Each structure stands twice: as C-alpha cells, then as structure tokens.
Amino acid sequence: MIGQMPEPWTPPNPLPGPICTDRLTLRWFEPSDAAGLHEAVDSSRAACVPWLTWAATGHATTDDSRTAINNLARMRVEGADFTLGIFDRATGRVLGGTGLHRPKPEWYTAEIGYWLRNDARGLGMCTEAVRHLISSAFTPQTEGGFGLRRLEVFCAAPNTASSAVPVRLGLGAPCRLRAERWVETIGWADSLAWDLLSSEWDTATHTHIG
C-alpha cells in the first residue's frame, strides 16, 4: 500500500545555517554585507550578463544592494526564497550567492541557483558551495536541515560555466529543453535541466550515490 501523501513542506524553524566548508561560509546576507555584495556584482557584471537578468541593472549602488538584501530577508520569512551568500571563510569577502529557489511545498522540491564573482572562478568554489547546500537541503529538519526530497538545477545551454557545476557533482546527463528561454545576446536558447532525489545523495560525504 502506498499510503497517504504527506502534508506540504514547510520551512524549518529556525532555518539552517551557517553552512561551513573548508574554504567557504554560506549564510544569509545581512544589511552590513551591502557594500561587499555591490562590489562583487559590479566587478563581475559583464560575465553575469546575459545569464542573470538581474545583473544588468541590479545592485547599481550599495543602497540598491541593501534593498535587495532586505527583500531577500522578506522572501525568506514568507518561505518564497532562500538565498544564501557565499563568503570566503578566512576573510569574510563576498564571493557570490546560491540558494534554494521557487520551492514547491507540495512536492518537497526546490531549485538550486548559483553565481560567483569573476576572480573566484576556476577554483572549484561554486561546486564546493553547491555540494554542501545540497546536503543541507536533504538533511531532515529534525537533524538541522531543510528536509527536502528533490532538487532541480536549470541553466542556459550556452552557459558552460554554470552547466559544469552539476556535471562535477555527478548529476549525470541533463535534459535539454529546446529554445526554452530568451537570452538577450543570443535569442531563443536551449536550457539544460538536472534533478536529484534525496535517496541519491550522501549527506555525510556530500557526494552523489545514484
């Protein structure tokens, strides 16, 4: 017998965090991070556009970044988005962001997104951050995690830097969604999609076991 479908997912209270790795700290952005966040986005704007639409005009000033941080806090309280900053563990420098987005409570599912500043790329830091975020996402709430069942990753097919992350995590071949998104400098572009179940991930070693 299959049994009854569980009640929809609700965010843990308190929320998990911070998440510490060998080199990184993943934590909620605070208003005091506004200057560092603005600098991280502004120094990497050309590389983030066109993949991240908010990078084109967002975070134009420190005040803009502070407003964005306050909006993220509001969405977190509402259970609509859980964006974490990626910080250098040794220096506290803002390196980028990741998080659990577009949660689907009835399916215990969320989407993982990520970005990294230019001068931190090529060092495996984004993969390191996402690897540990996946473990937190799949850890039961009774053990300090988010208690999710399934995760999704999407990116534009031409964005090779982004698509390399799920490949390094061992998530296998993606599903290709043809001409699924509009990219300003390209036009209609394919998207790549991966999914991952909690039963396919070892939260102790932060590795794929599917």
Side-chain angles (χ1 to χ4, degrees):
M1 184 173 178
I2 299 298
Q4 187 175 5
M5 185 174 178
E7 293 295 319
W9 176 84
T10 56
N13 185 18
L15 289 169
I19 301 169
C20 295
T21 77
D22 289 343
R23 298 180 291 176
L24 308 170
T25 299
L26 278 59
R27 63 169 177 80
W28 313 117
F29 282 113
E30 299 290 344
S32 58
D33 299 316
L37 177 56
H38 166 252
E39 188 274 332
V41 174
D42 201 48
S43 66
S44 307
R45 200 175 299 276
C48 289
V49 176
W51 317 120
L52 302 173
T53 55
W54 54 261
T57 57
H59 301 275
T61 66
T62 296
D63 283 343
D64 288 342
S65 292
R66 188 174 294 107
T67 297
I69 289 170
N70 290 334
N71 287 337
L72 290 174
R74 173 182 53 79
M75 289 190 288
R76 189 164 65 244
V77 169
E78 294 171 352
D81 185 90
F82 303 92
T83 293
L84 293 143
I86 302 174
F87 297 84
D88 185 293
R89 187 172 178 179
T91 66
R93 184 179 185 228
V94 178
L95 300 180
T98 185
L100 301 171
H101 313 305
R102 302 176 184 86
K104 301 173 184 175
E106 64 276 24
W107 307 126
Y108 285 67
T109 296
E111 178 183 335
I112 285 190
Y114 42 84
W115 67 275
L116 210 62
R117 60 183 301 147
N118 273 0
D119 57 11
R121 296 182 180 185
L123 303 172
M125 289 187 176
C126 196
T127 304
E128 183 176 326
V130 174
R131 186 184 300 280
H132 285 74
L133 177 59
I134 291 173
S135 291
S136 181
F138 284 152
T139 295
Q141 292 189 8
T142 54
E143 299 175 18
F146 284 91
L148 292 171
R149 180 190 65 89
R150 182 176 176 273
L151 296 171
E152 301 172 333
V153 181
F154 298 93
C155 73
N159 187 355
T160 55
S162 185
S163 64
V165 173
V167 171
R168 293 192 192 102
L169 293 170
L171 303 193
C175 172
R176 181 175 288 266
L177 309 174
R178 295 180 297 167
E180 188 267 345
R181 68 174 67 196
W182 178 264
V183 178
E184 192 65 33
T185 58
I186 297 173
W188 293 112
D190 293 355
S191 290
L192 301 179
W194 294 261
D195 63 2
L196 180 67
L197 300 176
S198 59
S199 58
E200 300 170 333
W201 190 261
D202 185 340
T203 59
T205 61
H206 316 295
T207 55
H208 185 261
I209 56 176

